[in-house]
Amino acid sequence: MTTREEQKEQRRKLIISKALELFVKKGYSDTKIGDIAKAADMSIGLMFHYFESKEQLYEELIKMGAEGTNAPKEMNFENPLTYFSGFLDMLFSYAKEQPWVLYLFVLMAQARRSTGIPAHIREIALGVNQVEQSAGIIEAGQQYGYFREGDPYALSFAFWSSVQGIMEQLAVSPEMIEKGQLPETDWLIDIIRGTKA
Amino acid sequence: MTTREEQKEQRRKLIISKALELFVKKGYSDTKIGDIAKAADMSIGLMFHYFESKEQLYEELIKMGAEGTNAPKEMNFENPLTYFSGFLDMLFSYAKEQPWVLYLFVLMAQARRSTGIPAHIREIALGVNQVEQSAGIIEAGQQYGYFREGDPYALSFAFWSSVQGIMEQLAVSPEMIEKGQLPETDWLIDIIRGTKA
DNA sequence: TTATATATTGAATATATATTCAATGAATTA
DNA sequence: TAATTCATTGAATATATATTCAATATATAA
């Protein structure tokens, strides 16, 4: 038997999780409140009992993502390459077990790019931008030969945009995950590492 | 002095080009007819004089893309790697001069992925899918050491999803293009080529 | 020049969908 | 048990936006 508080918390989590999946797969505007309600098996009216608006629900997800995807900042690593490979390994391993981690990553990327999203929410997503930070790591690492030659910012941009493209596609291609046809970490690392012996 | 026919043709082209840019930057649903009308500097009513619906306008763009992005199929190449590098070179060079080539590429990619798009239009976009075709080329090329080891389909998927991610981001980041911070072809080729001496 | 066809507009309409709300039932508390 | 608070619903409302249309201006044709 669940108490009312627990019940409420579970409901909220259910909505959050269904909404996340839908937002990622259909985008913010194409995800209708009705879609979420149906996915969570409840009336539209009830949705508004738990979240005051579609926008606020979306904002809550973005805030979760803002915390979650900040993780790598705190990771410590032996050499700068493992900063990147470690993050990718995590993402790929979660892709199978806990797709919501992957979904959150994709959600953030979409929010940063899409202009159809309420400005103040987009700001939050833009605050978490791996490109800038990684450019610094790449620049430093280039001196020791960890990374290939080239504009550090452009390298960082290429790497993260690629990761984003792959994750976005994976999010709507469950069969790739089931079949075990996930890209390998090294393939992507080679974008920034370049050709080594 | 322009004749009416020419005038009409120019108007259509203007609408097409503004719509393409907006669809790519904001997505199908977030692009309002009013946005296109404003961008093309005409009334909403006039839009409907030239295109019978937003959907039909979008479909026309997708059909253009279906022809355009088929191009590499006809390219002949000395070794299988130039099949990919040639396509990338083209895309990057057009990114500066004729962004609409890049836009068309992105539009197709988005249409393939997004479920918010009318089904019959999405079908058209799905008909042009580089992943399948490239997987065959990669598989064949692997035997001669042109490509790295690994599931050919997964390699193709990784490559094209990366390209897509980069182009999509470039489409909304004009400053990257202006600053000349475009990724280099080799960086992306190394996803499938791997580490060579 | 006159008549006809096309271009253009702004206002009207239709529709989808977010949001509100009054009513009802179920759980909690006194 | 009685009173009160919370959960839930379906119907009503508000709003945004695609689409239609009648009216007007401008170009072409006779």
Side-chain angles (χ1 to χ4, degrees):
Chain A
M1 177 62 75
T2 59
T3 160
R4 256 187 176 172
E5 272 304 300
E6 292 167 342
Q7 173 75 222
K8 185 170 179 176
E9 201 44 36
Q10 292 206 301
R11 278 276 202 230
R12 276 184 64 91
K13 276 184 187 161
L14 179 64
I15 295 171
I16 286 270
S17 109
K18 295 296 184 183
L20 172 58
E21 184 172 347
L22 284 165
F23 281 139
V24 165
K25 292 189 176 171
K26 314 189 23 153
Y28 179 69
S29 299
D30 282 335
T31 300
K32 312 304 178 188
I33 286 283
D35 296 338
I36 303 174
K38 187 183 290 180
D41 196 35
M42 65 181 67
S43 73
I44 290 178
L46 189 52
M47 288 275 321
F48 284 90
H49 178 66
Y50 286 101
F51 294 90
E52 69 185 21
S53 69
K54 174 178 165 181
E55 183 172 320
Q56 191 248 11
L57 168 54
Y58 188 76
E59 181 171 351
E60 190 146 330
L61 279 166
I62 292 293
K63 282 179 177 165
M64 286 174 57
E67 295 175 17
T69 44
N70 260 336
K73 201 175 292 178
E74 297 135 23
M75 284 170 51
N76 31 12
F77 42 86
E78 312 121 38
N79 79 60
L81 271 170
T82 60
Y83 170 84
F84 297 97
S85 60
F87 187 82
L88 284 183
D89 283 341
M90 181 203 69
L91 226 42
F92 283 132
S93 72
Y94 280 160
K96 306 170 193 171
E97 317 307 332
Q98 286 153 312
W100 59 268
V101 174
L102 176 130
Y103 288 159
L104 266 190
F105 177 82
V106 173
L107 188 80
M108 297 301 287
Q110 288 177 347
R112 261 180 255 124
R113 201 176 46 209
S114 166
T115 52
I117 285 166
H120 74 279
I121 299 183
R122 193 148 172 252
E123 293 301 327
I124 301 174
L126 286 168
V128 186
N129 192 355
Q130 293 98 345
V131 175
E132 190 79 41
Q133 188 188 13
S134 298
I137 297 175
I138 290 174
E139 186 164 19
Q142 279 175 329
Q143 305 181 333
Y144 301 94
Y146 285 116
F147 303 102
R148 70 162 85 225
E149 299 296 310
D151 182 317
Y153 194 86
L155 278 165
S156 180
F157 176 90
F159 176 79
W160 286 111
S161 298
S162 297
V163 172
Q164 183 175 316
I166 287 176
M167 296 305 162
E168 224 158 323
Q169 195 62 48
L170 275 184
V172 296
S173 311
E175 75 279 6
M176 295 290 296
I177 298 177
E178 288 158 16
K179 287 189 200 162
Q181 284 184 311
L182 290 181
E184 289 180 22
T185 301
D186 273 350
W187 303 353
L188 292 170
I189 293 296
D190 278 351
I191 295 173
I192 48 179
R193 179 174 53 191
T195 58
K196 295 270 193 176
Chain B
M1 177 61 76
T2 58
T3 160
R4 257 188 175 170
E5 272 304 301
E6 292 166 342
Q7 172 77 221
K8 184 170 179 176
E9 200 45 34
Q10 293 206 299
R11 277 274 203 233
R12 278 185 62 91
K13 277 185 187 162
L14 179 64
I15 295 172
I16 286 270
S17 109
K18 295 296 185 183
L20 173 58
E21 184 172 347
L22 283 166
F23 281 139
V24 165
K25 292 189 175 172
K26 315 190 21 152
Y28 179 70
S29 299
D30 282 334
T31 300
K32 313 303 179 189
I33 286 283
D35 297 337
I36 304 174
K38 187 183 291 181
D41 197 35
M42 65 180 66
S43 72
I44 289 178
L46 189 51
M47 288 276 320
F48 283 90
H49 179 66
Y50 287 101
F51 294 90
E52 69 185 22
S53 69
K54 174 178 166 181
E55 183 172 320
Q56 191 248 10
L57 168 55
Y58 188 77
E59 181 171 351
E60 191 147 330
L61 279 165
I62 292 293
K63 281 179 178 165
M64 287 173 57
E67 295 174 16
T69 45
N70 259 335
K73 200 176 289 177
E74 298 135 23
M75 285 168 51
N76 33 10
F77 41 85
E78 312 121 39
N79 78 60
L81 271 170
T82 60
Y83 170 85
F84 296 98
S85 61
F87 187 81
L88 285 183
D89 283 341
M90 180 204 69
L91 227 42
F92 283 132
S93 73
Y94 280 159
K96 306 170 193 173
E97 318 307 332
Q98 287 153 313
W100 59 267
V101 174
L102 176 130
Y103 289 158
L104 267 189
F105 177 83
V106 173
L107 187 80
M108 297 301 286
Q110 289 176 346
R112 261 180 256 125
R113 203 176 44 210
S114 166
T115 51
I117 285 166
H120 75 278
I121 299 183
R122 194 150 171 251
E123 293 301 326
I124 301 173
L126 286 168
V128 186
N129 191 356
Q130 293 100 345
V131 175
E132 189 79 40
Q133 188 187 12
S134 298
I137 297 175
I138 290 174
E139 185 164 20
Q142 280 175 327
Q143 305 181 332
Y144 302 93
Y146 285 116
F147 304 102
R148 70 161 87 224
E149 298 296 310
D151 182 316
Y153 194 86
L155 278 164
S156 179
F157 175 91
F159 176 80
W160 285 111
S161 298
S162 297
V163 172
Q164 183 176 316
I166 287 176
M167 297 304 162
E168 223 158 324
Q169 195 63 49
L170 274 184
V172 297
S173 311
E175 74 280 7
M176 296 291 296
I177 299 177
E178 289 158 16
K179 288 189 199 161
Q181 285 183 312
L182 289 180
E184 289 180 25
T185 301
D186 273 350
W187 303 353
L188 291 170
I189 293 297
D190 278 350
I191 295 173
I192 47 180
R193 180 175 51 191
T195 59
K196 295 270 193 176

